[in-house]
Amino acid sequence: QLVKRAEEIVKEGYNILVLSDRNASKNDIPIPALLAVSAVHHALIDSGLRTEVGLVVETGSARTIHHFALLGGYGAEAINPYLAFDTIESLWPELPEAVAPDKAERRFIKAINKGMLKVMSKMGISTFQSYCGAQIFEAIGLNKAFIQEYFAGTATRIEGIGIREIAEEALR
């Protein structure tokens, strides 16, 4: 349904698509952000619509450089890690240094940017535009059928779980 709706939205003329898990609840469990962005990215490529839209991911699951690297590598052109920002804001009074909340958030962004630059430079990539959607990764522990369906073109030599197990984990 997500992929179908994304294609419809792009055909309606929208040029920015936001995939968000912000309204997740006990009864409305989100699709994992990486799975959602990769599925939409590949479906839009297959339908010839990918160049018509920018993909933005708003997720509580992006916390580390690895998370950002994967989301960008599978098509996210912008990432809003709202839970990380909320956490920084809630921890602000306990920070050892007197730093304004907005400055603490800027430091987090700067750290993520530096980490992303390090990841990209190790791969010989100098711009995020070249990195975005390049999916220069190898999957470990995901079965081939799942990879072919949602992460097309990603190498995998050590198989494992599929969509059913990922759904069960999301429910847990």
Side-chain angles (χ1 to χ4, degrees), residues 19 21 31-38 41 50 55-81 116 128 131-135 137 151:
L19 302 174
D21 62 19
I31 297 169
L34 182 59
L35 175 57
V37 75
S38 184
H41 172 74
R50 183 59 183 96
L55 283 180
V56 177
V57 178
E58 180 181 54
T59 182
S61 65
R63 298 175 306 276
T64 68
I65 293 162
H66 181 72
H67 299 142
F68 286 85
L70 286 169
L71 289 168
Y74 281 99
E77 290 151 315
I79 303 160
N80 174 13
M116 286 293 298
F128 187 74
Y131 181 83
C132 186
Q135 62 187 61
F137 308 102
F151 298 91

Side-chain angles (χ1 to χ4, degrees), residues 65-66 69-70 113-125 131 136-137:
I65 293 162
H66 181 72
L70 286 169
N113 285 339
K114 281 186 170 188
M116 286 293 298
L117 286 172
K118 189 173 184 178
V119 168
M120 292 183 332
S121 67
K122 284 184 177 185
M123 296 176 182
I125 299 171
Y131 181 83
I136 46 179
F137 308 102

Side-chain angles (χ1 to χ4, degrees), residues 42-145:
H42 283 96
L44 292 174
I45 288 171
D46 292 345
S47 62
L49 298 169
R50 183 59 183 96
T51 58
E52 305 296 319
V53 67
L55 283 180
V56 177
V57 178
E58 180 181 54
T59 182
S61 65
R63 298 175 306 276
T64 68
I65 293 162
H66 181 72
H67 299 142
F68 286 85
L70 286 169
L71 289 168
Y74 281 99
E77 290 151 315
I79 303 160
N80 174 13
Y82 68 87
L83 187 57
F85 292 140
D86 290 351
T87 302
I88 290 168
E89 194 171 309
S90 71
L91 292 174
W92 171 73
E94 301 170 26
L95 294 176
E97 183 183 337
V99 178
D102 62 323
K103 188 170 185 178
E105 288 176 357
R106 284 197 305 271
R107 286 181 177 179
F108 174 77
I109 293 167
K110 185 175 182 178
I112 294 296
N113 285 339
K114 281 186 170 188
M116 286 293 298
L117 286 172
K118 189 173 184 178
V119 168
M120 292 183 332
S121 67
K122 284 184 177 185
M123 296 176 182
I125 299 171
S126 59
T127 66
F128 187 74
Q129 185 176 12
S130 297
Y131 181 83
C132 186
Q135 62 187 61
I136 46 179
F137 308 102
E138 182 175 335
I140 299 172
L142 300 173
N143 70 43
K144 286 184 182 180

